[in-house]
């Protein structure tokens, strides 16, 4: 079993955490942004990560991969069966993949991916605008809905928690963490999820990767 991509991508991270929670240990092969070669191209026709291979079977898109894994490896089920719980889990994954990622992409891209990976000039104003305007809307919502203790759905870990935590983890990686004073519930909730071994091991490697590439860019002149 192979996952193609980098865990700095919240979508790849989401798949790898799901695998870890299910006791699976796929090989992670670097891919995306010009990497991966024909093997990756076969699994991901449009060059998006993650891509996935299980024997002769290939698939791309994190949600599709996770639904495949859930069907094939139902133990440690991460998508509830009950209609209401399943609906909420799917909502939180969609919320994470579109709204959270949309809000924090200008931050992660301009503080790390652009200047450190692509060697482009960062738009620090865009990063600061997202930190000031887009992310507070996300966090205001989460502050209302995350539990004081436990998890988002069924009082157990589900895909909802993994999906929401995966992109939020990137904020701290580039020095733009969620404000614990303004968002205490979100901060405690996120810490609970990210302290799980399935996340912690991945994030330790991600921190090393970012440090090795020069760290986050805080000002345009630093690029």
């Amino acid at each position: 079993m192979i996952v193609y991509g980098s865990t700095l991508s919240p979508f790849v991270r989401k798949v790898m955490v799901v695998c870890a929670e299910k006791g699976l240990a796929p090989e992670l092969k670097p891919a995306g942004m010009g990497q991966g070669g024909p093997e990756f191209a076969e699994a991901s026709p449009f060059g998006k990560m993650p891509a996935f291979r299980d024997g002769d079977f290939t698939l791309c898109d994190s949600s599709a991969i996770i639904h495949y894994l859930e069907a094939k490896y139902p133990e440690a089920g991460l998508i509830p069966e009950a209609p209401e719980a399943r609906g909420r889990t799917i909502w939180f994954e969609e919320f994470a993949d579109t709204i959270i990622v949309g809000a924090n992409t200008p931050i992660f891209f301009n503080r790390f991916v652009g200047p450190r990976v692509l060697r482009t000039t960062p738009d620090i104003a865009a990063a600061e605008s997202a930190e000031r305007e887009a992310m507070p809307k996300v966090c205001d919502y989460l502050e209302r809905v995350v539990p004081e203790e436990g998890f988002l759905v069924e009082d157990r870990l589900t895909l909802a928690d993994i999906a929401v935590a995966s992109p939020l983890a990137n904020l701290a990686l580039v020095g733009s963490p969620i404000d614990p004073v303004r968002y205490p519930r979100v901060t405690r909730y996120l810490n609970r999820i990210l302290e799980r071994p399935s996340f912690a091991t991945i994030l330790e490697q991600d921190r090393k990767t970012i440090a090795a590439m020069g760290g986050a860019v805080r000002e345009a002149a630093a690029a």
Side-chain angles (χ1 to χ4, degrees):
M1 188 182 297
I2 301 170
V3 175
Y4 301 92
S6 165
T7 53
L8 289 174
S9 158
F11 302 112
V12 177
R13 186 182 295 133
K14 179 174 62 166
V15 170
M16 294 299 289
V17 170
V18 165
C19 286
E21 292 287 345
K22 288 182 172 293
L24 304 173
E27 179 183 0
L28 180 65
K29 287 191 174 183
M33 295 188 177
Q35 298 187 78
E39 215 178 288
F40 172 57
E42 179 188 4
S44 182
F46 295 95
K48 301 294 185 180
M49 58 176 160
F52 176 82
R53 182 181 299 274
D54 189 5
D56 294 331
F57 177 72
T58 61
L59 193 62
C60 59
D61 182 80
S62 62
S63 296
I65 295 166
I66 288 167
H67 278 267
Y68 168 80
L69 292 170
E70 184 77 0
K72 188 168 183 178
Y73 303 98
E75 290 304 311
L78 296 171
I79 302 175
E81 292 293 332
E84 295 87 352
R86 178 174 288 225
R88 283 182 59 77
T89 298
I90 293 170
W91 149 247
F92 278 116
E93 185 187 22
E94 178 63 19
F95 165 69
D97 287 359
T98 58
I99 297 175
I100 298 180
V101 170
N104 76 11
T105 290
I107 302 169
F108 192 67
F109 182 86
N110 287 295
R111 295 208 183 280
F112 177 71
V113 176
R116 299 307 190 202
V117 180
L118 302 178
R119 301 299 178 183
T120 59
T121 301
D123 185 347
I124 296 301
E128 292 175 342
S129 176
E131 290 163 347
R132 185 174 60 250
E133 298 173 13
M135 281 309 304
K137 294 177 182 178
V138 167
C139 292
D140 286 342
Y141 168 71
L142 287 173
E143 188 71 11
R144 296 196 303 271
V145 301
V146 298
E148 189 63 44
E149 297 181 358
F151 307 95
L152 284 168
V153 179
E154 288 194 339
D155 198 29
R156 67 181 182 91
L157 183 79
T158 68
L159 176 58
D161 304 295
I162 296 170
V164 167
S166 290
L168 291 178
N170 274 0
L171 295 174
L173 289 175
V174 294
S176 299
I178 292 170
D179 183 350
V181 175
R182 183 173 176 179
Y183 302 111
R185 289 170 70 100
V186 176
T187 300
R188 290 192 295 271
Y189 164 78
L190 187 59
N191 287 342
R192 287 198 300 275
I193 305 304
L194 297 185
E195 286 170 358
R196 296 179 68 87
S198 56
F199 265 108
T201 301
I202 290 171
L203 291 174
E204 178 60 28
Q205 182 57 53
D206 289 342
R207 282 189 284 270
K208 291 178 180 177
T209 299
I210 286 177
M213 297 182 73
V217 171
R218 306 306 304 173
E219 300 177 359

